[in-house]
Structure formats: C-alpha cells, structure tokens
Amino acid sequence: MTHPVKGIDHCFALVDDLDNAAAQYEALGFTLSPRGTHSAAKGTANYTIMFPEDYFELLGIVTPTELNASRREMLATMGQGLHAIACRIDDAEAAAEALGALGITTQGLGSFSRPVPLPDGSEGIAAFSTVSFTTDETPFGTVFMCQHKTRETVWVPELLEHANTACGLDAVLAISETPEEDAPRFARLWADGAVQTEDGLTTITTGPNSAPLILATAARMAALYPDINISGTTKGAFTALRIKVRSLETLRDCLKDANVKICDTASGLAVGPEFSAGVILEFVSA
C-alpha cells in the first residue's frame, strides 16, 4: 500500500485571544484572511496567513462548547502557541485506509465546511475532510491530515502578498529531549520522511516542496535563539516557525514599524513569543 501523506499543508497556533493574536501578526507585516467562524457547536474561529504552497492558521475559541473542551484544556495546561501540524493528502478516507494497511493508526475521520468571508466582501464555502494520527503515533503535539475540497476559497490570490515579503513555511521546530527516539516516529508519518542529525539538530524531511520538522533539545533550542524567552512557547507541542521571506531588509523595516524586539539569528531574524501569540517566529531568506 502506498503511503498517502505528501508533506506539510499548514500548521496552526491555538491562541488565548484570537483578535489580539491577529493584531500581532498584522503588525508584523502579514496579510490575514477575513475572520472565519466555524459552527456554533465547534465554537471556534480562525484567521489564515496564506503562502503559495502552504499556510499558517491562528485558531481561537470564541464560545465555550462541549466540542472545544479539549482545546480549552490544552490552552489551560500547555499554553498558547504552535500546537498542530496538518499534512497534505489527496483523500482523507483513502489515506486512513492506506495508513492502516501500513500499520499506522488514525482516528477522527470526518468532513466539514464553513463560510469563508472573501476579501472582495462576498462569501464562499471552504470544505475539508480531515483525519488525525492517534496520540500513540505522535511523540508530542497534534499531527493530522487535511484534504482540501475547495482550494479556490482558501488560496485566494489577494491573500498571498505580505508587506513583510513572507512567501512560505521554511521549517517547524520543536523541543525534544530524546530526538533520536522521537524523530523516527515522526518520520514514518510522511511518505518521504527521513532523518538526519547535524550540529545538534535532528531534521525530519516531510516531502517535496514541504517544510521539514526540526527537533532540538531545550538547551540547543535556547542556543538557536539566545535573546528569546523560550519558556513563553507552548509546552509539549511545537516551538518555532521559520518563514521564508523575499527580502530580509523589507522584513526588518516591518518589524521596526511594529516596535518589537528584533533578534538576529544565524540564518535571519526572529521575534519572541510575546509578539506572536506564543510562537517563536524566525524569518530566513527564500
């Protein structure tokens, strides 16, 4: 049976205050989608930050409901930040079947749709099917799969241009005190998953034109971002998001205008989680 998971489609930050998080990201020079509201039963809403091949989502709870009790518990115990990775698949039902045949367990297969306010003031419908890897399959964090049925209402051309010149996900980074154990378990979740360790960083490739997942001990992560308070990120999930930009100079101007602390890194610039809803954002040249 062919492995159906082709890479990282998007990732999301679960945040304490959705509109405050949106304001933070707009200040950093991102173009955000209009706010999307999920069903009354879900009690959640989101903003997306779109790139040509992938995207980043801000997800917040607007009304406590039975269906979002687990997310409220995650916020209470783990804190806001980069909680989840969504993987690329063609068909959710077929993916669940194929993964089962490969001995990889899944759960929560289902479909849903929601209204999408479009930049021109009209409204469309975004439809998805999703299925999650079980917690036994994932060392930490949430990893699920997402089938897009209406890409035209998600990848809207007007949303792809950002004042800070951001143009794609470069990597997802996470703290792991046992990367040699966790990396192979993550790697098996992707068809092209492979593991390489260099300079204290364990990189899991996730597919062509797809951001890798990079694991590092807490000490190594702190060395990557020496001027940033890593304790301000979520616990037990993912820590930092590297984003590709076309111009680091333009980005720096955007960050200066946002009046945030700019931290230089070995590869580019970063801002701490206090400025980006619990996520360390690092920007690197595309």
Side-chain angles (χ1 to χ4, degrees):
M1 186 71 74
T2 302
H3 198 303
V5 184
K6 301 178 177 182
I8 291 179
D9 178 80
H10 68 279
C11 50
F12 75 69
L14 183 61
V15 302
D16 292 328
D17 183 323
L18 181 58
D19 289 329
N20 182 66
Q24 287 188 316
Y25 278 80
E26 285 181 331
L28 297 175
F30 290 104
T31 300
L32 273 63
S33 69
R35 176 171 162 160
T37 302
H38 303 143
S39 69
K42 286 181 178 291
T44 54
N46 75 339
Y47 293 91
T48 59
I49 297 171
M50 303 303 303
F51 307 122
E53 301 293 335
D54 44 33
Y55 66 99
F56 178 54
E57 176 182 359
L58 301 173
L59 179 68
I61 296 163
V62 293
T63 304
T65 70
E66 183 178 350
L67 286 183
N68 62 43
S70 62
R71 296 208 190 281
R72 286 184 281 122
E73 178 67 15
M74 290 167 70
L75 280 172
T77 59
M78 300 168 64
Q80 69 172 354
L82 194 56
H83 276 260
I85 292 172
C87 302
R88 295 173 183 161
I89 51 170
D90 292 328
D91 182 282
E93 187 172 354
E97 181 180 354
L99 289 165
L102 294 170
I104 301 173
T105 57
T106 63
Q107 62 185 2
L109 176 64
S111 297
F112 68 98
S113 63
R114 62 175 175 82
V116 178
L118 298 173
D120 65 3
S122 64
E123 185 175 271
I125 295 293
F128 312 86
S129 287
T130 60
V131 60
S132 297
F133 293 105
T134 64
T135 54
D136 290 340
E137 296 290 356
T138 51
F140 51 81
T142 299
V143 185
F144 67 102
M145 293 154 276
C146 180
Q147 173 192 352
H148 288 274
K149 299 180 178 179
T150 53
R151 293 181 66 87
E152 70 279 1
T153 60
V154 179
W155 273 270
V156 178
E158 295 93 325
L159 299 178
L160 298 179
E161 291 298 321
H162 304 273
N164 61 16
T165 74
C167 57
L169 304 181
D170 183 77
V172 178
L173 291 87
I175 292 173
S176 166
E177 294 306 328
T178 55
E180 66 285 350
E181 297 175 13
D182 294 338
R185 293 179 61 200
F186 274 120
R188 73 194 292 264
L189 306 183
W190 287 279
D192 293 325
V195 178
Q196 180 178 359
T197 298
E198 184 177 355
D199 193 25
L201 302 176
T202 300
T203 299
I204 300 116
T205 57
T206 64
N209 300 313
S210 175
L213 173 60
I214 301 174
L215 306 183
T217 64
R220 186 68 182 90
M221 191 74 72
L224 287 176
Y225 305 112
D227 299 319
I228 288 176
N229 180 16
I230 291 175
S231 66
T233 62
T234 187
K235 310 301 184 291
F238 308 103
T239 305
L241 188 63
R242 279 184 183 161
I243 295 175
K244 294 181 284 190
V245 297
R246 292 190 296 271
S247 169
L248 284 172
E249 182 178 351
T250 301
L251 166 71
R252 190 182 289 272
D253 289 339
C254 280
L255 298 182
K256 286 180 179 177
D257 290 343
N259 196 30
V260 299
K261 180 182 177 182
I262 303 171
C263 302
D264 291 297
T265 70
S267 302
L269 307 174
V271 297
E274 67 270 31
F275 303 112
S276 43
V279 183
I280 296 172
L281 292 182
E282 184 179 14
F283 301 90
V284 299
S285 292

